[in-house]
Structures are given as C-alpha cells and as structure tokens.
Amino acid sequence: FLAPRPRRTGITTQYMREAMRGPARPLFDATFERPLLEELGIVDGDRLRDEWREYADAGEGMGLHLFQYLQAELWLRAHHDAGTSAAASMKDAPVTVS
C-alpha cells in the first residue's frame, strides 16, 4: 500500500470525482432531491440540484463543496427530528417540585 509506484496512479480529486459520480451517486441524487437545507432557507435548492447534475454528468465543478453540502444535509436530517422529539418529550414530562 505504501510502496513507491513506478508511475502515478491517480490523484485525490480524481478518486473523489469517480466515487461521487459512481457508487455514491444514488445517495447524492436522493439527498439533493428535497434537501432540508432548502426547506430551512439556507441554500437555493434549484441551484444546488443544477450544480449537482452538472457535476454528476460532466465531472466539472467543485465536487468538494457538493460533498460538504451532502455532509451538512445528512447531519441536519440526523439531528433535526431529534431536537423536535426531545422538546416534545420534555413538554409531556411530569413536573416535580421539591
């Protein structure tokens, strides 16, 4: 794995591009279809989808920022409902006064 190569085998951005446009594409497609980031008014959903389609089809553009949007979106989805659920359970919790 760490042995020297007789020739260059690739670059990080190439690996990222191939992964995003290949095996990870369904995850990006599904996530950007209806992003919570758009519902919260943080990003323009149409522009995000357009940039993703352009990158997915042609491999042109800044894949890193799309990856960062994906990470932010996944984080929001994992925590958005958790905050609502926690607030709801606190509302229904009995109050004890000592």
Side-chain angles (χ1 to χ4, degrees), residues 29-87:
D29 287 340
T31 303
F32 291 160
E33 184 175 315
R34 191 167 170 229
L36 188 54
L37 289 165
E38 175 183 27
E39 290 180 29
L40 295 173
I42 297 170
V43 300
D44 178 339
D46 291 332
R47 184 171 177 190
L48 176 61
R49 284 183 287 278
D50 287 345
E51 286 187 30
W52 166 243
R53 279 190 292 271
E54 181 181 328
Y55 186 81
D57 292 341
E60 298 296 323
M62 290 294 296
L64 181 59
H65 82 270
L66 293 167
F67 180 75
Q68 292 169 332
Y69 284 129
L70 175 76
Q71 292 302 310
E73 180 69 26
L74 295 176
W75 187 92
L76 276 173
R77 290 180 184 194
H79 293 86
H80 183 62
D81 290 336
T84 305
S85 300

